[in-house]
Amino acid sequence: MAEPAIINGLSVDVEDWFQVGAFENVIERDDWNGLVDRVERNVSEILDMFEEADVKATFFTLGWVAQRHPALMQRIVNSGHEIASHGFDHARVFNFDRKSFGDDILKAKKAIEDASGVAVTGYRAPSFSIDQRTPWAYMELADQGYAYSSSVAPVAHDHYGWREAPRFAFQPLPWSDLVEIPVTTAEFAGRRLAAGGGGFFRVLPYAFSRWAIRQVNRRDERPAVFYFHPWEIDPEQPRVQGAPLKSRVRHYTNLDVMSEKLRQVISEFEWGRMDMLAHREASKAVPLAA
């Protein structure tokens, strides 16, 4: 009898086109209210895609977005998906201290819970910005009652990354049940490769992502963690002028093919919510080395 397929974690980081890290030095936070809102139409399209494929996912949502779109938050929950926190307004964790980080995640949690009507137990740091500089972040998450985080990219990257972190589930605090579920990496020739979705999935050939997910499922016998953003399926979004060329190339490349690639990966592998994955992986979580 064939072994049951591994259920991978499917996630959406709910933020609008003007809230991304690539443009944080070009678009002022105070200008957000006056910009064209595309997040509702894009998330609605994603919900339709997931319903068509009969898959469930986790929507890591900015509190700023939740406050402005309560009906959308309720649709996410009513469709059987998990809603979780992505912080309030996409500030990176390593730019906080512990107190200001605690204030941010508390404000986001309240906004999301008020809008959705359900408890929030999961967190993903904007731009995977929990790393070796922020040991207090896990203490604050545990103190505020979070069950899991998916906030670490265990790679070296010019914008983020914690290269020394474990590739799979780990327990960041010896006194807490809080579990960290890093985004997926693959291994090739002794190197870790980012392979969990986002821009890498959109820009690189689909065959790379298929190979990476199969490696994690078959060789490592662990679930993959995959993410993307609503703006990545939206080729009609406004174009930002004045951003660095590298940022513009990363942000706008292959927006027109992302939806079809998503349908392909969703149909080829098994997917589920991140809270369910965290529950299953908790027993395998290794302690974080001091």
Side-chain angles (χ1 to χ4, degrees), residues 259-277:
S259 290
E260 194 53 44
K261 291 179 79 171
L262 285 170
R263 287 185 172 88
Q264 188 171 359
V265 76
I266 289 169
S267 67
E268 189 164 349
F269 298 93
E270 296 294 322
W271 301 98
R273 294 163 40 143
M274 288 294 298
D275 56 347
M276 306 295 189
L277 185 153

Side-chain angles (χ1 to χ4, degrees), residues 89-143:
D89 57 3
H90 213 264
R92 299 175 195 241
V93 177
F94 50 66
N95 289 327
F96 289 121
D97 59 21
R98 177 171 177 175
K99 183 183 184 305
S100 57
F101 173 68
D103 292 343
D104 180 82
I105 61 173
L106 184 63
K107 182 179 180 181
K109 191 172 190 286
K110 184 178 188 308
I112 297 164
E113 291 180 342
D114 287 349
S116 66
V118 298
V120 167
T121 63
Y123 173 77
R124 172 168 289 155
S127 302
F128 297 103
S129 53
I130 286 182
D131 59 26
Q132 67 275 15
R133 293 170 287 181
T134 61
W136 39 261
Y138 287 123
M139 300 176 195
E140 196 62 38
L141 287 166
D143 285 352

Side-chain angles (χ1 to χ4, degrees), residues 32-87:
W32 285 5
N33 284 328
L35 298 175
V36 177
D37 186 314
R38 304 280 294 178
V39 72
E40 184 162 16
R41 71 162 301 281
N42 293 333
V43 172
S44 294
E45 184 176 326
I46 291 164
L47 288 168
D48 291 343
M49 182 191 303
F50 287 173
E51 183 176 6
E52 179 183 333
D54 192 24
V55 297
K56 303 303 179 188
T58 292
F59 288 74
F60 291 102
T61 302
L62 294 181
W64 190 95
V65 172
Q67 282 185 336
R68 287 156 178 78
H69 297 283
L72 183 63
M73 302 300 104
Q74 291 157 24
R75 183 183 171 194
I76 290 170
V77 171
N78 292 340
S79 298
H81 305 290
E82 180 194 13
I83 196 158
S85 174
H86 197 36

Side-chain angles (χ1 to χ4, degrees), residues 11-13 58 60 84-87 122-128 148-152 181-183 225-228 274:
S11 57
V12 185
D13 291 358
T58 292
F60 291 102
S85 174
H86 197 36
Y123 173 77
R124 172 168 289 155
S127 302
F128 297 103
Y148 77 92
S149 164
S150 182
S151 301
V152 168
I181 310 291
V183 70
V225 173
F226 184 90
Y227 77 99
F228 67 100
M274 288 294 298

